[in-house]
Amino acid sequence: MVELSLRCGSNSYFWKLAACFVVYVLFGTVVFSAIELPWEIKMREELEAVKSRFLRGHGCLVEVELDAFLRAVLDASDYSVFALRNASDDQNWDLPSSLFFVSTVLTTTGYGHSVPFTNGGKAFCMLYSVLGIPITLLLLTSLVQRLMFYVHWAPITYIHTRWGLSLPLVARIHALVIGSIVVSCFFLIPAVAIMTMEKDWDYLQSVYFCFISFSTIGLGNYVLGKNSRHPNLQHLYKVSIACYMVIGLVGLLIVLQTFYELQELQYFIKRVMGHPDKEGYLYLTEQEVAITAPELVAEGSLEIDEKGAGNPKEASPGAAAKVSPER
Amino acid sequence: MHHHGGHMHPPPTQAITEAVKHGVNPIGNDLNSSLSNWDFSSSFFFAATVVSTIGYGNISPTTAGGQVFCVFYALFGIPLHVIILGRVGKNLSSHSEKVRECLSKKGMKEKRVKLLTFLFFLVIGAIIFLALPPLVLCIFEDWSYGEGVYYAFITLSTIGFGDYVVGVNPHRKYQQFYRSLVAIWILFGMAWLALLFNLLTNFMEDTEKKIAQIKNKKKVAKENMNFRYDANATSSSENVSMLSDSETNVRKGAQKPFEQEESSQVESKIIASDHDQKETKPEPKSLNAKITDQETR
């Protein structure tokens, strides 16, 4: 009876959340359109003006011929082969660039700045990712779990036992500290370095690039290494960028996992996911509670929640591992 | 790239390259086509690709305001999307119970049943989401079947290169429902991936539990042997600690019983929270207690 009402409650909660999600997407639609559409219209007009001026200034050229030329140039530039005289002539598929490409595929970022052109390349890309992406995901999650022990549990329990602060408070402070360390180490500080290495990027664009890369969205309108100030360091630059992407992703996952385990978020997520199913998870929780409850209650780290069952906070990483911040 | 509104006559090639980078195609009447990049349906498509982290990149915000908004939008949208997908995967996985029951009635072991369920959904989903939709895409787009499959794969894995994108070819007339159909396909495809991920983690958790159980049994057996032949309790605790792998270093620390009674309990809580050792928790606790008793005697 209790479980039935819980399930109904969590179902309606889920549909509310789904409705919020749809509203959120629509909200983004409207705002993006409002911001970008005026500029797009203006750009179209400018381009039209440039083109007609060019055609007028070169009377022998017919528009059809110009279009054919433009099409050839644009098709090549789709694969990052540029026709401009002063375009950098570093290759897209030499070894360091290929390493960079592989790192964008395995992290599913996928900038699109260089894409396989041949059919063989495309087929290999698919097979490679079918194996590579799950392996990468598993590796990243297990790495994050191990690091979480040193970065999350050990400091928190140390501070909790030595200084006697309550666990929720320590957890919150710790989350903030970790969050700000990672944000500054992987976003704000590297953005400065990136800004100096790339030609026309300012600080905001560098931070934007870092965010778009680490969230694995990977739009691709900004890509490192296209226009750098020090062309002789290209190879080293590309290899180090590939490493930076992966390490930064690990750092971001640690931050996400830390926030995920905050009590407030746990409560919210439990409401969405529904009460843990009886078969595996809750039974073990009760078993753990039966063993550790007496000492933990004395220690003050066990919270008795409203259902009257002991609810040790640290039992939650089981769910965290299942719904780890992977897509 | 700095887009200044009012600068004079840029060199033509540069203007064209910049325009193309921002999705404005200079060829022929595409320039004046009604296919805008930022009308409602295109913006909707863009918002969806941001939130699902596919991120094609054929269109991207060019203004500073758009980029800042994009960052904050993704910051909240991506976790929201992940949470919803997690719940959907869980729901679907509970529906896959029927398949599991059907298989286990044939008297197979549970682990094999889980593996077969996973493979079943993998194959069925691959056919529905990766093999069939490209047939439809071939009709609407100017692609071959192979290119359609490539596009489907790159999209559903959320890599999203952007070399192939639906609905952006200015030479073709698209039906109104076409893009919505593609969006629905992407949605269901991601739900299928969430289901697969859920099934896979279930399967792997069982494997890990079994491995942990086997390790623990070995340990207890060796422990019993040592207690029988060894009068010295401390050396047996050393043997036990040598058997632990790196993940149970905490347990080694917890076997120094004199001062840290409290911290050993905290550390055993940590062991409990390590998710592949949940079931083995009772045993290390009794092990600690046993060694504690013997050493303080």
Side-chain angles (χ1 to χ4, degrees), chain A residues 147-170:
Chain A
L147 284 179
M148 279 298 282
F149 175 71
Y150 296 105
V151 167
H152 185 81
W153 295 116
I156 284 188
T157 49
Y158 180 78
I159 294 179
H160 173 67
T161 51
R162 291 294 175 190
W163 293 356
L165 299 171
S166 71
L167 267 179
L169 179 66
V170 179

Side-chain angles (χ1 to χ4, degrees), chain B residues 280-296:
Chain B
T280 69
K281 184 172 181 315
E283 284 146 357
K285 190 77 171 101
S286 58
L287 207 57
N288 290 345
K290 239 196 288 186
I291 293 170
T292 310
D293 287 343
Q294 288 190 334
E295 292 203 9
T296 53

Side-chain angles (χ1 to χ4, degrees), chain A residues 262-282:
Chain A
L262 281 181
Q263 213 176 347
E264 294 84 3
L265 215 52
Q266 275 298 316
Y267 179 66
F268 170 69
I269 289 182
K270 269 192 191 147
R271 292 282 299 274
V272 175
M273 300 294 278
H275 210 65
D277 39 348
K278 309 180 300 223
E279 34 185 55
Y281 175 53
L282 192 57

Side-chain angles (χ1 to χ4, degrees), chain A residues 30-31 90 124 145 168 184 213 217 264 275-278 283 314 320 323-324:
Chain A
V30 167
V31 175
D90 77 322
F124 179 70
Q145 291 285 35
S184 52
S213 311
I217 299 177
E264 294 84 3
H275 210 65
D277 39 348
K278 309 180 300 223
Y283 170 66
E314 282 76 349
V323 188
S324 58

Side-chain angles (χ1 to χ4, degrees), chain A residues 240-288:
Chain A
S240 50
I241 291 169
C243 301
Y244 166 62
M245 291 295 161
V246 176
I247 296 176
L249 195 58
V250 171
L252 195 69
L253 286 177
I254 289 182
V255 167
L256 284 179
Q257 186 87 328
T258 306
F259 275 91
Y260 184 81
E261 294 188 6
L262 281 181
Q263 213 176 347
E264 294 84 3
L265 215 52
Q266 275 298 316
Y267 179 66
F268 170 69
I269 289 182
K270 269 192 191 147
R271 292 282 299 274
V272 175
M273 300 294 278
H275 210 65
D277 39 348
K278 309 180 300 223
E279 34 185 55
Y281 175 53
L282 192 57
Y283 170 66
L284 290 171
T285 310
E286 285 168 354
Q287 205 181 29
E288 292 165 7

